[in-house]
């Protein structure tokens, strides 16, 4: 499966014989595609989240939001977490697109990761937070020392965030407290 956003196309190719299986017009595709339980999941810049049949390219479900999407969703335990340009993260069930709830930071979400019981997210104003995956409530939120342009990384309950100020932060994923930071004297974009 692939996307050709400049041509507003999505497609599937048989890798054995190199033949195109299907081709679908999709305007303003915002992301690459994720695969979960025989569904291709993606989003468009105009606020639509969707699931396609990977064999036929036909729509299984779609959910329209009032927001725009500039970055891709994350997937964990059959739930889709789609960030928006106004600081929201939409929680959708991957099987049927059923809307769960919305978590919120202050500005356009630049990246998120869903692990364990939480979704961790960053925004362009330097905010970072942990949100309960079941009910979208914030466990903690805080502001770092500059804009964040990349997704956070999580390992062993430590959240790592690079900030355009040049710092890399290690934050306790459960409490939001600093573990350490280091100043690299470089603009960090991811």
């Amino acid at each position: 499966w692939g996307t050709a956003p400049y041509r507003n196309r999505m497609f599937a190719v048989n890798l054995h014989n190199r033949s195109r299986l299907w081709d679908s017009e999709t305007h303003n595709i915002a992301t690459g595609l994720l695969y979960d339980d025989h569904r291709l999941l993606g989003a468009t810049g105009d606020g639509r989240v969707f699931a396609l049949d990977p064999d036929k390219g036909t729509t299984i479900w779609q959910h329209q939001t009032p927001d725009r999407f500039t970055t891709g969703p994350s997937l964990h335990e059959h739930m889709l977490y789609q960030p928006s340009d106004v600081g929201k993260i939409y929680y959708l069930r991957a099987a049927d697109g059923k809307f769960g709830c919305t978590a919120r930071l202050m500005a356009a979400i630049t990246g998120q990761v869903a692990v364990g019981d939480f979704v961790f997210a960053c925004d362009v104003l330097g905010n970072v937070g942990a949100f309960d995956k079941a009910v979208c409530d914030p466990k903690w939120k805080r502001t770092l020392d500059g804009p964040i342009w990349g997704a956070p990384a999580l390992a062993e309950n430590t959240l790592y965030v690079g900030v355009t100020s040049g710092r890399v932060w290690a934050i306790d994923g459960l409490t939001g407290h600093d573990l350490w930071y280091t100043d690299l004297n470089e603009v960090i974009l991811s």
Side-chain angles (χ1 to χ4, degrees), residues 4-82:
Y6 299 111
R7 293 187 52 222
N8 292 317
R9 310 296 296 170
M10 288 187 303
F11 54 87
V13 175
N14 181 322
L15 297 178
H16 295 290
N17 65 17
R18 299 176 300 280
S19 66
R20 193 172 286 222
L21 298 173
W22 55 263
D23 192 310
S24 174
E25 185 171 348
T26 302
H27 292 283
N28 202 13
I29 189 89
T31 69
L33 301 172
L34 300 174
Y35 182 84
D36 182 56
D37 199 22
H38 206 71
R39 284 179 294 277
L40 292 176
L41 305 161
T44 62
D46 60 0
R48 185 173 62 99
V49 185
F50 60 85
L52 301 177
D53 180 308
D55 297 323
K56 302 173 190 165
T58 55
T59 301
I60 298 171
W61 59 259
Q62 62 183 347
H63 180 86
Q64 184 66 50
T65 73
D67 299 340
R68 293 180 30 152
F69 301 141
T70 57
T71 189
S74 58
L75 181 70
H76 187 255
E77 297 176 348
H78 309 292
M79 286 295 291
L80 192 69
Y81 303 96
Q82 176 61 54

Side-chain angles (χ1 to χ4, degrees), residues 105-107 121-130 140-148 159 161 163 165 167 169 171 175-178 181:
L105 279 176
M106 299 299 294
C122 301
D123 73 19
V124 296
L125 296 180
N127 298 298
V128 60
W140 56 263
K141 291 183 188 179
R142 57 177 297 192
T143 302
L144 300 181
D145 64 335
I148 300 169
L159 191 68
V161 181
V163 182
S165 68
R167 287 188 176 159
W169 294 78
I171 299 168
T175 66
H177 296 132
D178 293 347
Y181 68 84

Side-chain angles (χ1 to χ4, degrees), residues 69-158:
F69 301 141
T70 57
T71 189
S74 58
L75 181 70
H76 187 255
E77 297 176 348
H78 309 292
M79 286 295 291
L80 192 69
Y81 303 96
Q82 176 61 54
S84 80
D85 69 337
V86 294
K88 295 178 190 172
I89 302 172
Y90 290 91
Y91 292 38
L92 301 167
R93 205 164 52 196
D96 56 13
K98 182 175 186 218
F99 174 72
C101 54
T102 304
R104 184 164 187 118
L105 279 176
M106 299 299 294
I109 305 290
T110 57
Q112 78 288 341
V113 60
V115 177
D117 294 333
F118 300 101
V119 175
F120 300 92
C122 301
D123 73 19
V124 296
L125 296 180
N127 298 298
V128 60
F131 301 91
D132 187 301
K133 281 181 21 185
V135 293
C136 297
D137 289 339
K139 171 122 174 116
W140 56 263
K141 291 183 188 179
R142 57 177 297 192
T143 302
L144 300 181
D145 64 335
I148 300 169
W149 288 105
L154 185 78
E156 299 177 7
N157 288 325
T158 299

